[in-house]
Amino acid sequence: MAWISEWWANFQADFVTCFITQDRYKLLIDGFGVTIKVAFAATILGILIGFLIAMCNLSKIRLLKLIGGVYTDVIRGTPSVTQLMIIYFGVFAKIYWDKWIIAAIAFGINSGAYVAEIFRAGILSIDKGQTEAGRSLGLSSFQTMTRIILPQAIKNIFPTLCNEFIVLIKETAIVGYVGLVDIQKAGDYIKSATFKPWLPLLSVAVIYYVLIKILNLGLKRIENRLRRSDVR
């Protein structure tokens, strides 16, 4: 059919314009690297902060409980893009670190509030008898938590933590607000340079989809192994 041949010819021309001309595809490759760096660093920081805040929320010390409660309430009650801009243009305005590091800190702080609730729920899901058994064996509170409670809690919350990681990757699409060229911003640059929005935006969507699909499959395998170890 003539219209199919014409469509294919136009598609090829647009593809060359969007990705081959001036090596614009490299923008997407570089943007992919930025997205991975920010998301991975933010995940590690978010888990560390989340665990500490969860301990504060579970603490019997009023000051620690207040700190954990305020942190969780404020972070979960404000948009992540606003937090990113406050941290970048305010807190780190005169600290000349790489932009991706500052963005990772911002997303780590944001993620920490949600991870804290995940940890708290996971720890509370373990029967209190486990704690009593640990203490009766002569273990300290710290040893009971790290050797008995946490290993079981982490197995329970692993799928939820994985979901938080996936959400975090998609949330990093707003780093363009502080001048970082991630996958989304790379697509925007190509779109602006070529005045052809369809292919750049579609390519961004495909990259995110494939990345998240691969991560989901990998994390699902780890989850299945954890379940098999429970059966044994």
Side-chain angles (χ1 to χ4, degrees):
M1 294 185 186
W3 68 270
I4 294 179
S5 299
E6 183 180 353
W7 176 86
W8 180 244
N10 290 334
F11 176 83
Q12 287 179 308
D14 289 347
F15 185 89
V16 170
T17 300
C18 290
F19 304 117
I20 307 303
T21 303
Q22 297 181 0
D23 293 334
R24 292 192 178 106
Y25 70 92
K26 290 182 179 178
L27 288 171
L28 292 171
I29 294 174
D30 293 341
F32 179 84
V34 170
T35 296
I36 293 298
K37 282 195 299 185
V38 172
F40 185 73
T43 298
I44 294 174
L45 182 59
I47 289 174
L48 293 175
I49 293 175
F51 177 71
L52 292 176
I53 296 300
M55 292 298 98
C56 288
N57 289 334
L58 292 170
S59 175
K60 295 179 180 179
I61 301 173
R62 287 188 178 182
L63 179 60
L64 292 179
K65 206 161 190 173
L66 177 63
I67 292 171
V70 170
Y71 174 88
T72 304
D73 187 52
V74 171
I75 297 300
R76 295 181 70 180
T78 53
S80 55
V81 64
T82 305
Q83 296 165 18
L84 173 64
M85 296 180 77
I86 288 173
I87 290 172
Y88 184 83
F89 294 109
V91 178
F92 286 90
K94 295 184 179 180
I95 300 176
Y96 302 103
W97 290 358
D98 288 346
K99 291 181 179 180
W100 76 267
I101 296 176
I102 299 174
I105 291 172
F107 284 110
I109 291 172
N110 176 269
S111 179
Y114 297 92
V115 173
E117 290 302 289
I118 295 172
F119 268 116
R120 187 179 68 85
I123 291 170
L124 291 177
S125 70
I126 306 302
D127 190 273
K128 288 183 178 180
Q130 302 273 355
T131 302
E132 294 170 359
R135 297 308 301 273
S136 68
L137 291 172
L139 298 177
S140 65
S141 297
F142 178 78
Q143 289 173 324
T144 302
M145 176 61 70
T146 55
R147 297 182 184 182
I148 297 177
I149 305 301
L150 271 182
Q152 296 179 74
I154 289 173
K155 281 187 178 181
N156 291 342
I157 66 176
F158 184 77
T160 313
L161 282 176
C162 292
N163 184 63
E164 174 62 21
F165 178 49
I166 298 300
V167 170
L168 189 57
I169 289 176
K170 292 186 283 187
E171 282 189 349
T172 60
I174 63 173
V175 294
Y177 279 97
V178 295
L180 265 176
V181 183
D182 66 325
I183 300 172
Q184 181 63 54
K185 195 64 176 179
D188 290 342
Y189 277 151
I190 295 172
K191 180 185 67 172
S192 300
T194 61
F195 298 100
K196 297 181 184 297
W198 186 76
L199 268 181
L201 293 177
L202 181 63
S203 67
V204 168
V206 169
I207 291 170
Y208 272 115
Y209 176 78
V210 171
L211 171 62
I212 289 170
K213 192 69 176 177
I214 292 171
L215 287 172
N216 269 325
L217 290 173
L219 294 171
K220 196 72 176 176
R221 276 193 164 190
I222 297 173
E223 183 184 342
N224 290 336
R225 286 185 180 180
L226 290 175
R227 286 180 178 176
R228 284 200 296 269
S229 69
D230 283 341
V231 173
R232 291 172 191 169

